Amino acid sequence: MRRKSAAVGASYLTGLLFASFFLYNEIFVISVIITLAVGCAVSVLFIKRYDIAAVLIFAALGITLFTAVSARLDNAADSLCKEKSVITAVITDKRTLGNDTALFTLSKDVGGTNVGMLFYSSDISAEKGDTLCFEGSAQRLYNTAYFSTADIYRSKRIVLSVTADSEITVKKGGFDILSPLYKLRERVAAKTDIYY
């Protein structure tokens, strides 16, 4: 029983990994899903091997799930990639990069899908949980020859980079019990960046 459960889990994980490698080749991914479904039907109807069918069906399920979630995220992100628009997003993370700059990770709900965005700015007095509002533009993250930016951040649902073209207004979020620890972490990280 343990081997069968391990085989099912491994096949699901393999399906997820496969889909992540061939994300932008939709025809190939759909062909693989159809092939796995046909293989599952053949193993059940003709070979009578239900363990093989379970492995194939969970591999197909992993591919289908990853592709559907990625497609929904991409559609939501594309709707934000306009020339200029008012961007209102919540800070989910903040990293100070020096004495006066910071890297913010923002999250915006677009039709029920949370789209993550990277935002470089001067170190404004905003913390995790606060809401930023500004006029700006968004563009998709992309891979370069030196750094696979899009692939690295995609697992965290971050697919956009935004720039501000107007003054940034900050609306403070509610009190978070972890806020003091978060601020301490930021101070320690800033000191470490300065000295090392």
Side-chain angles (χ1 to χ4, degrees):
M1 184 65 182
R2 286 182 183 174
R3 283 186 183 173
K4 290 180 181 177
S5 299
V8 166
S11 65
Y12 181 74
L13 180 61
T14 303
L16 290 175
L17 290 172
F18 175 85
S20 68
F21 288 130
F22 298 100
L23 177 63
Y24 298 109
N25 195 340
E26 293 91 357
I27 295 172
F28 181 61
V29 170
I30 291 170
S31 301
V32 170
I33 292 171
I34 292 170
T35 304
L36 289 173
V38 169
C40 178
V42 167
S43 68
V44 168
L45 296 176
F46 299 109
I47 305 174
K48 305 289 187 198
R49 291 295 305 263
Y50 299 104
D51 50 350
I52 294 174
V55 166
L56 294 177
I57 201 75
F58 273 91
L61 182 65
I63 294 170
T64 305
L65 183 66
F66 186 92
T67 306
V69 169
S70 292
R72 186 169 179 178
L73 181 61
D74 287 338
N75 290 338
D78 287 340
S79 69
L80 295 174
C81 291
K82 301 174 183 173
E83 291 244 345
K84 275 190 185 180
S85 61
V86 176
I87 296 172
T88 305
V90 178
I91 299 172
T92 55
D93 198 12
K94 175 187 175 184
R95 244 183 80 209
T96 51
L97 300 175
N99 292 332
D100 56 353
T101 57
L103 169 63
F104 294 94
T105 302
L106 308 177
S107 177
K108 181 173 177 64
D109 185 274
V110 180
T113 301
N114 282 326
V115 178
M117 300 173 273
L118 294 180
F119 177 54
Y120 292 91
S121 170
S122 57
D123 191 5
I124 54 178
S125 59
E127 302 296 334
K128 182 179 179 181
D130 295 346
T131 302
L132 300 184
C133 183
F134 56 90
E135 187 176 346
S137 55
Q139 66 180 17
R140 294 294 293 265
L141 292 176
Y142 57 91
N143 292 330
T144 65
Y146 304 104
F147 195 61
S148 301
T149 309
D151 292 338
I152 289 168
Y153 282 110
R154 189 176 187 87
S155 62
K156 300 177 182 177
R157 302 178 67 90
I158 300 169
V159 291
L160 296 175
S161 173
V162 292
T163 55
D165 299 324
S166 69
E167 190 173 319
I168 303 166
T169 58
V170 180
K171 180 183 175 188
K172 292 293 181 186
F175 177 73
D176 184 5
I177 195 165
L178 296 176
S179 183
L181 289 174
Y182 182 78
K183 289 178 181 176
L184 177 63
R185 186 189 80 172
E186 288 303 315
R187 284 199 296 272
V188 170
K191 293 288 186 187
T192 305
D193 285 344
I194 290 170
Y195 293 119
Y196 298 102

